[in-house]
Amino acid sequence: MRFDFTQKQKINAGRARSMNLITTALFELLEKTPFAQISVSDVCKQAGVTRKTFYRNFDSKTAVVEMLVDQVFCDFMQKYDFKTSGARKIYKYWFEYILCTREFALIFFDPDLYPFITEKIREFVEIEVEETLHNATTYDPMLADYYLNFAAAGIASIMREWMKNDFQTPADTMAAMTARLLGGIVI
């Protein structure tokens, strides 16, 4: 999987190249090593960059994962129009997108990254369903954080189970199931 930061941010080509190398290297290491066992030195060696270059671009290896996840969600949001799509359609887009970026699924299985991905899904849900959530007849502002946390944990759990089963269930079926499981809670 290759990452392209030049289109997403206004940074120079040299920095974008370094960020791409570092992110790709960490991702390659995650394919065979748990996140907690990967050091910044490991990432630098895999990327062919110095520690100075690493720290010029990222504060930590967690910051690299955050950049990777943010890019995936950004790419996903740019491909689909959420304002005109219902929940089931959004879920279907998400499952189809994951099928196209299967390597990204690795972070769902790392115990140190699973809470992180759940939080990122929460941020995504909050951004994408804010208007729908606030206009829902069941919406209670006192429960907003609970709605969002429940939805994020539910989506992450459903995704993880789907991936465990090697993506065998079609995306449309997964979307229908997710909509049914989460229906009336958030959207």
Side-chain angles (χ1 to χ4, degrees):
M1 187 171 205
R2 178 111 175 114
F3 305 96
D4 183 10
F5 295 104
T6 56
Q7 296 175 356
K8 308 292 182 253
Q9 304 165 354
K10 294 185 180 193
I11 56 176
N12 69 45
R15 182 162 184 229
R17 182 179 177 279
S18 295
M19 291 171 75
N20 289 336
L21 287 170
I22 292 165
T23 305
T24 301
L26 179 59
F27 195 82
E28 289 169 352
L29 290 168
L30 281 171
E31 290 178 337
K32 50 192 177 253
T33 309
F35 183 72
Q37 293 177 14
I38 299 171
S39 68
V40 169
S41 295
D42 295 333
V43 175
C44 293
K45 183 178 178 184
Q46 181 78 14
V49 299
T50 64
R51 287 177 66 85
K52 182 178 177 181
T53 299
F54 179 93
Y55 285 112
R56 193 176 318 128
N57 292 287
F58 298 101
D59 295 334
S60 64
K61 64 182 185 171
T62 303
V64 179
V65 175
E66 185 170 10
M67 177 74 74
L68 181 152
V69 173
D70 285 345
Q71 182 176 352
V72 168
F73 280 116
C74 182
D75 287 348
F76 176 67
M77 290 188 294
Q78 287 178 353
K79 288 184 180 186
Y80 305 106
D81 181 11
F82 295 96
K83 302 301 180 205
T84 61
S85 301
R88 184 172 173 172
K89 196 174 220 179
I90 291 169
Y91 297 142
K92 183 179 182 216
Y93 292 156
W94 178 245
F95 286 104
E96 288 172 344
Y97 184 81
I98 289 296
L99 279 174
C100 296
T101 58
R102 283 180 163 200
E103 299 88 358
F104 174 70
L106 291 170
I107 64 173
F108 280 87
F109 293 104
D110 190 298
D112 293 312
L113 295 177
Y114 188 70
F116 177 80
I117 191 68
T118 302
E119 178 57 30
K120 284 298 183 177
I121 290 171
R122 184 197 188 281
E123 290 174 17
F124 169 74
V125 169
E126 187 172 19
I127 291 167
E128 290 308 319
V129 302
E130 182 178 8
E131 188 175 311
T132 305
L133 180 65
H134 291 281
N135 292 329
T137 57
T138 59
Y139 177 70
D140 180 346
M142 299 285 289
L143 300 175
D145 281 339
Y146 295 101
Y147 289 140
L148 293 168
N149 288 335
F150 183 82
I155 292 168
S157 178
I158 291 166
M159 293 298 301
R160 190 175 188 178
E161 194 62 31
W162 184 53
M163 293 172 203
K164 260 199 243 179
N165 293 322
D166 199 29
F167 308 91
Q168 299 231 347
T169 306
D172 196 39
T173 303
M174 291 303 300
M177 182 184 65
T178 303
R180 183 174 180 201
L181 290 170
L182 296 177
I185 303 299
V186 175
I187 299 176

